[in-house]
Amino acid sequence: MSPDESATDLYAAREAEKRRRLRRARTGATGLLLLMASLALFALFVGHGRGGWGYLAAFAEAAVVGALADWFAITALFKHPMGVPIPHTAIVPQNKVRIADSLGQFIETHFLLPDVLAKRIDAFNPARRLAVWLARPANARQLTEQGTQLFRFLLDMLDDPKLAHLVRDLAVKRLGQLDLGSRGAALLQLVRHAGQHQKVFDGVVRAAISRLDTPNAHDYLAGVIANEFNVLRWVALDEAGGRYLARKLIGATSQALERSLAEPDHPLRQAFDRQFGDWIDALGHDPETREQLAQWQRRLLDDEGLQQGLERMWRDALGWLRHDLERDDSQIRAKVGAAVKQFGLRLRDDTVFVDWLNARLRTFAAQSLARYRGEIGVFIADQLKGWDDKVLVDRLELNVGIDLQFIRVNGTLVGGLIGLLIYTARQFAGV
């Protein structure tokens, strides 16, 4: 059984018990009225109101009058007595709107006070009580499980096609607003200041050297040279000459490239540094370069494949999180449990943090109450106004009806005693 079902069953049981007690109290008060009426008739018809019977008759008659008067007054609060629309009866239903407004204003004025709430929070010390509660392992496990359930609920809520489209559109919009030129220039400037762009130069040069020193490169360059020097064909030296010149050119080029790797101030390296700086400047300030980059950015973001990819990334991320939650060794559950444990330990050991948290809770509650107290009063009044008259009467009778039935009993007995006192006084006075 869930906590909500348990609370509902408990509330229903309490309501049923209230109704049983109300029926018993109403039956008792009505029974007492009938008893007094029976005693009055018995004293009048049997004793003819003489002697001691007169005292009994006076008590019983006055008790009946008191009981009927209180019955009428109590009934008039909730309905028309015996269904007769007597003026100033059915007071609660007839004045429901005024009562609701008055009750809402009364609660707002006398109960929803920020200063009073702040003092109650200080006395309650919520942070310390939470620390004590979290110190119990069962409670910490329960909070961890509830946090995991909340995370699972959020994942189910986020796994919606409309939300996926919204996330995609927001991502595309934000990427479209991104100034790639300035951001790229700033990033490359950091790379240049750190000297990391020289590593790029080193990598390109080493790759060039390794590609040059291959048979394919030698053959290709030899063929190009042989085709350019047609005269060598007449002496059958075109291929040999081409290979010789190619070997010389590749060797010279490789030596020059290797020197650029070894010498920090090599002209080729400096030229690359200047070119890198020109790229940075163009990204940051050259209108034509920035416009070309912006056009490329727009074409990329308009690409349907990119947009579908963003949606897939969103769904894949949700799927991974949901899959993790189903595992016995869930990383998310472990993280939530560790966070709960760490929070509990800090509440236990860090008095400064406890005081800070209590102060924040106090300030937040007081400010929220000061801001919304009017709305709370109106909400209470509107709820009462929205109740059906029968429901409102039933709610009030169920909660205060028992005490009202005891008023009927008291009215019966007090009325009888007053009648007896008056009768006794008349007897002594000889009236």
Side-chain angles (χ1 to χ4, degrees):
M1 182 180 295
S2 67
D4 290 341
E5 293 175 343
S6 299
T8 301
D9 292 344
L10 180 60
Y11 176 78
R14 289 176 177 174
E15 293 292 288
E17 178 59 23
K18 286 181 180 180
R19 293 189 186 280
R20 285 193 293 269
R21 292 174 59 194
L22 178 59
R23 282 196 298 269
R24 287 197 299 266
R26 185 181 287 130
T27 301
T30 303
L32 183 59
L33 168 62
L34 296 176
L35 175 62
M36 292 298 105
S38 300
L39 288 177
L41 293 174
F42 183 80
L44 288 175
F45 288 102
V46 176
H48 304 289
R50 294 190 296 270
W53 295 104
Y55 289 94
L56 178 61
F59 175 83
E61 289 172 358
V64 170
V65 173
L68 290 174
D70 284 343
W71 168 83
F72 181 88
I74 291 171
T75 303
L77 286 174
F78 305 110
K79 61 188 73 174
H80 297 298
M82 301 180 66
V84 180
I86 302 172
H88 301 292
T89 58
I91 294 174
V92 171
Q94 296 292 337
N95 298 275
K96 180 175 67 175
V97 173
R98 180 172 58 83
I99 293 172
D101 289 333
S102 298
L103 181 60
Q105 293 174 2
F106 178 79
I107 292 176
E108 175 188 347
T109 304
H110 298 284
F111 287 90
L112 303 179
L113 301 176
D115 293 341
V116 174
L117 178 62
K119 292 179 181 178
R120 292 298 299 271
I121 291 176
D122 286 338
F124 186 73
N125 196 353
R128 183 59 61 188
R129 288 177 179 267
L130 180 59
V132 174
W133 188 82
L134 288 176
R136 303 187 182 97
N139 292 335
R141 288 193 298 271
Q142 178 184 355
L143 185 59
T144 299
E145 186 59 31
Q146 289 176 349
T148 304
Q149 292 295 335
L150 175 61
F151 198 81
R152 184 179 286 109
F153 169 78
L154 292 176
L155 289 179
D156 293 337
M157 183 177 65
L158 294 174
D159 191 11
D160 185 280
K162 294 181 180 179
L163 188 58
H165 295 331
L166 177 62
V167 171
R168 178 203 65 191
D169 294 341
L170 289 175
V172 170
K173 181 179 179 180
R174 293 296 298 172
L175 290 173
Q177 295 172 348
L178 188 64
D179 186 355
L180 291 183
S182 298
R183 298 296 178 86
L187 178 61
L188 293 178
Q189 190 65 43
L190 291 175
V191 172
R192 189 184 187 196
H193 284 320
Q196 297 300 311
H197 66 303
Q198 296 295 345
K199 293 184 178 180
V200 177
F201 174 82
D202 293 342
V204 173
V205 170
R206 289 193 178 95
I209 293 173
S210 63
R211 291 295 298 272
L212 285 173
D213 193 18
T214 60
N216 290 335
H218 280 262
D219 292 342
Y220 174 78
L221 187 57
V224 172
I225 294 173
N227 288 332
E228 291 297 329
F229 292 93
N230 293 328
V231 68
L232 295 178
R233 293 180 180 178
W234 297 100
V235 293
L237 294 176
D238 55 338
E239 293 184 5
R243 286 195 297 271
Y244 174 78
L245 291 175
R247 187 168 58 253
K248 288 295 184 179
L249 287 173
I250 290 176
T253 303
S254 298
Q255 290 178 2
L257 292 177
E258 288 175 354
R259 284 197 301 271
S260 70
L261 291 175
E263 298 175 7
D265 297 330
H266 193 276
L268 190 59
R269 187 181 292 275
Q270 292 179 351
F272 175 78
D273 181 75
R274 289 192 298 271
Q275 183 61 52
F276 200 84
D278 292 341
W279 292 337
I280 294 175
D281 185 68
L283 285 174
H285 304 96
D286 182 54
E288 184 178 353
T289 302
R290 291 174 59 83
E291 178 59 28
Q292 291 176 354
L293 185 60
Q295 291 178 3
W296 174 84
Q297 182 181 10
R298 287 192 293 269
R299 288 196 299 270
L300 177 63
L301 295 178
D302 290 338
D303 183 71
E304 185 177 352
L306 174 66
Q307 297 184 8
Q308 293 177 353
L310 291 174
E311 289 190 31
R312 284 195 300 271
M313 288 175 59
W314 174 257
R315 290 193 296 268
D316 291 344
L318 295 178
W320 181 88
L321 294 172
R322 186 179 289 106
H323 176 71
D324 179 80
L325 285 175
E326 302 303 326
R327 293 168 56 93
D328 294 335
D329 57 343
S330 169
Q331 297 182 28
I332 297 176
R333 187 180 293 107
K335 294 290 185 182
V336 173
V340 169
K341 181 179 180 180
Q342 183 62 32
F343 183 67
L345 292 175
R346 188 169 184 187
L347 286 176
R348 184 193 67 184
D349 301 330
D350 192 342
T351 57
V352 175
F353 177 69
V354 168
D355 294 339
W356 176 86
L357 183 58
N358 280 331
R360 298 285 77 75
L361 291 173
R362 181 178 63 249
T363 301
F364 173 77
Q367 291 178 349
S368 299
L369 184 60
R371 180 177 180 181
Y372 297 108
R373 57 185 300 199
E375 286 82 351
I376 295 174
V378 172
F379 173 77
I380 294 173
D382 290 343
Q383 288 295 106
L384 291 176
K385 293 175 186 177
W387 279 4
D388 180 77
D389 290 350
K390 292 182 179 180
V391 175
L392 177 61
V393 168
D394 179 70
R395 292 287 90 196
L396 290 175
E397 278 192 307
L398 192 61
N399 287 278
V400 301
I402 296 176
D403 295 322
L404 294 178
Q405 298 308 313
F406 278 110
I407 290 177
R408 289 179 58 191
V409 172
N410 292 336
T412 302
L413 298 177
V414 171
L417 292 174
I418 293 175
L420 179 61
L421 180 63
I422 293 174
Y423 182 81
T424 303
R426 292 181 61 188
Q427 291 299 312
F428 277 102
V431 179

